[in-house]
Amino acid sequence: MGSFSIWHWLIVLLVVVLVFGTKKLRNIGSDLGGAVKGFKEGMKSEDKPGEAKTEIPPSAGQTIEGEVRKETTKS
């Protein structure tokens, strides 16, 4: 099995554009770029040793109200 030629890649690109459309592909590209940018920024902030990490204490969180149901087991 040899390497693909430029014609193979052009046909694959054409099929992908026909299936997904250019708008959807553009949105996927921008979402992926934003995710990579966020990941890089997160990695840079972890590399700085002098910077203290701020965590939210458990008491400052939100309370979620709901009801508790007793679980019944079948024998």
Side-chain angles (χ1 to χ4, degrees), residues 45-46 51-55:
S45 68
E46 284 186 13
E51 198 172 294
K53 293 183 180 179
T54 57
E55 293 185 18

Side-chain angles (χ1 to χ4, degrees), residues 54-62:
T54 57
E55 293 185 18
I56 300 173
S59 61
Q62 295 180 344

Side-chain angles (χ1 to χ4, degrees), residues 19-70:
V19 169
F20 293 108
T22 56
K23 185 175 182 182
K24 182 124 179 149
L25 291 175
R26 191 177 321 123
N27 290 341
I28 291 171
S30 64
D31 291 343
L32 183 63
V36 170
K37 184 179 179 182
F39 177 75
K40 286 182 180 179
E41 288 175 358
M43 293 300 291
K44 285 180 183 177
S45 68
E46 284 186 13
D47 290 343
K48 297 178 184 176
E51 198 172 294
K53 293 183 180 179
T54 57
E55 293 185 18
I56 300 173
S59 61
Q62 295 180 344
T63 303
I64 300 173
E65 295 183 19
E67 65 181 67
V68 178
R69 295 185 182 172
K70 189 174 185 179

